[in-house]
Amino acid sequence: RKGNFEHFMQKEIHEQPDSLTMTIRDHLKTIRRSRRILFIGCGTSYNAALAARPVVEEHSGIPVTMEIASDLLDRQGPIYREDTAIFVSQSGETAYTLEALEYAKSNGALCVGITNTVGSAIARGTHCGIHLNAGCEIGVASTKAYTSQIAVIVMLALALGVDSLSTQQRRNAIMDVLYNLPSKVRDVLKLDRDMKELAALLMEEQSLLVFGRGYNYATALECALKVKQVSLMHAEGIVAGDMKHGPLALVDETLRIIVIAIRDASLNKQQSVRQQLKARKGRLIVMCTEGDAEFMCLIEHCLQPMINIVPLQLLAYQLTVFRGFNVDQPRNLAKSVTTQ
Ligand code: M6R
């Protein structure tokens, strides 16, 4: 709209103090000064932010809170001028995320968009942002956008921590591994045949639990989301530390459970979870690190979620094919959820 101006050209000439401010403003500085970072998203995009949260906390030193966009709106949760709200959305058009953006903006927060769609409503509506550049994602189930979202948030975390000398070595190590990540993902893609065999074994099951923790809590949630969304099998991702607070009651000799027990800081705790599930006769599938020593010097723990989800995506895919459901267009779902 032209407002009080006669022409768009005239309006745009007058807008230059604002547009230049937005262009040259050091958003990273503003984020570094914020009292809190909020990640806001839905579904897989929320899970991606959850996977990267520990790296952001470690490198920025700023408290990070996670918000499912609809829940934030339902509660009208408090957002302040000193907050940075980061909106994660593959499509950049998700209705709840978009409404949460308007809400955060009206509360004065700095709003950052992480989307895979240039020119999307979220990309346009945020103060600044990062384009995933993951390429067009057609399947309703988000897969490649998920790993790219984690990668982008990790890079943002490193940029936020760039002034800290004490973490410089660690930042360099993470960057080195990040550059090698595509070849590591290529390696795990070779597990396709194994995942097909596993899917053949699981295809008649009613239900699947996935236990993860630490860096791989989000991996468990995302695996379960993928399995239920495309293969239409009930699946639940569980933070393993909560096992005794309810989920353990489900475990018997019929229940299939995936335990993510990768060699990382959570390994000992996950081994104990594994033993306890075994003691209840749970039918376990343990996801562990192959050739531990060699693999581990190459992969920083915080980057593992981008590797670990890949075989689980393959599993969800193969399960869906075996069960005869539509892989690319799952029942009742749309790629871009533009209504609430
Ligand atoms: O486009 P968005 O990332 O905002 O979409 C959010 C969710 O609808 C989306 O991530 C959904 O959970 C996935 N399609 C599931 O695979």
Side-chain angles (χ1 to χ4, degrees):
R1 268 176 244 125
K2 288 198 247 339
N4 292 331
F5 296 98
E6 268 180 54
H7 300 99
F8 282 113
M9 182 178 173
Q10 184 193 22
K11 175 172 176 265
E12 285 156 15
I13 290 171
H14 285 272
E15 276 174 355
Q16 288 174 103
D18 292 336
S19 61
L20 278 168
T21 306
M22 291 312 285
T23 305
I24 60 179
R25 186 163 152 193
D26 187 346
H27 292 293
L28 272 179
K29 215 185 245 170
T30 316
I31 302 175
R32 277 192 206 108
R33 278 202 302 257
S34 42
R35 296 259 286 273
R36 176 176 68 146
I37 293 174
L38 294 102
F39 280 107
I40 301 167
C42 300
T44 291
S45 293
Y46 172 89
N47 289 346
L50 186 68
R53 168 164 70 170
V55 197
V56 179
E57 285 174 332
E58 181 189 341
H59 289 271
S60 70
I62 302 169
V64 178
T65 58
M66 301 296 309
E67 292 286 358
I68 294 174
S70 62
D71 184 50
L72 172 71
L73 292 166
D74 289 345
R75 295 176 358 249
Q76 294 287 291
I79 297 193
Y80 305 104
R81 295 176 62 80
E82 300 80 11
D83 288 334
T84 293
I86 305 184
F87 297 85
V88 187
S89 172
Q90 189 285 132
S91 62
E93 301 289 349
T94 299
Y96 280 127
T97 313
L98 197 53
E99 194 183 326
L101 165 60
E102 293 312 323
Y103 173 67
K105 260 204 306 202
S106 65
N107 283 284
L110 173 71
C111 295
V112 182
I114 297 179
T115 74
N116 196 32
T117 318
V118 176
S120 60
I122 291 172
R124 283 185 277 117
T126 38
H127 297 114
C128 58
I130 310 173
H131 173 50
L132 289 186
N133 214 12
C136 188
E137 191 181 65
I138 309 272
V140 167
S142 185
T143 51
K144 63 177 183 173
Y146 177 73
T147 43
S148 286
Q149 284 165 335
I150 301 174
V152 155
I153 301 172
V154 167
M155 288 192 284
L156 174 64
L158 299 186
L160 289 174
V162 84
D163 290 337
S164 157
L165 282 179
S166 61
T167 54
Q168 186 170 350
Q169 248 185 337
R170 184 152 158 68
R171 278 199 310 278
N172 292 345
I174 293 175
M175 272 322 281
D176 287 349
V177 181
L178 257 183
Y179 285 124
N180 283 316
L181 208 61
S183 81
K184 294 290 141 211
V185 169
R186 223 166 267 130
D187 286 347
V188 281
L189 283 170
K190 293 182 192 143
L191 292 171
D192 198 15
R193 187 187 294 244
D194 300 271
M195 291 304 115
K196 194 168 178 183
E197 282 171 20
L198 182 57
L201 200 75
L202 298 179
M203 64 177 280
E204 307 283 1
E205 300 295 335
Q206 297 281 320
S207 185
L208 182 67
L209 297 191
V210 192
F211 282 88
R213 75 192 311 147
Y215 290 120
N216 286 295
Y217 166 32
T219 310
L221 295 189
E222 179 56 13
C223 169
L225 175 55
K226 284 290 95 87
V227 168
K228 73 181 111 178
Q229 174 185 24
V230 283
S231 80
L232 314 191
M233 178 189 290
H234 170 256
E236 207 178 316
I238 296 168
V239 64
D242 234 27
M243 176 179 74
K244 291 185 185 160
H245 302 280
L248 196 56
L250 287 171
V251 180
D252 62 12
E253 62 285 354
T254 64
L255 187 67
R256 286 287 191 179
I257 306 167
I258 297 180
V259 182
I260 305 171
I262 299 294
R263 190 167 286 278
D264 66 8
S266 301
L267 181 64
N268 287 343
K269 287 181 181 166
Q270 281 302 74
Q271 297 292 33
S272 141
V273 163
R274 188 176 155 180
Q275 277 155 11
Q276 295 179 51
L277 291 170
K278 220 167 153 192
R280 268 88 182 174
K281 302 195 167 47
R283 296 163 78 201
L284 304 191
I285 299 142
V286 179
M287 182 174 186
C288 55
T289 309
E290 189 184 37
D292 279 344
E294 188 204 353
F295 193 73
M296 285 318 298
C297 30
L298 290 173
I299 294 297
E300 283 284 335
H301 297 169
C302 66
L303 302 181
Q304 288 226 3
M306 284 179 274
I307 309 258
N308 299 340
I309 194 59
V310 175
L312 300 170
Q313 291 170 341
L314 290 171
L315 175 66
Y317 167 76
Q318 298 288 4
L319 267 177
T320 313
V321 174
F322 277 126
R323 286 161 69 89
F325 294 117
N326 190 329
V327 172
D328 287 331
Q329 183 56 71
R331 184 172 79 186
N332 306 336
L333 298 179
K335 180 67 181 161
S336 184
V337 185
T338 52
T339 54
Q340 295 186 357

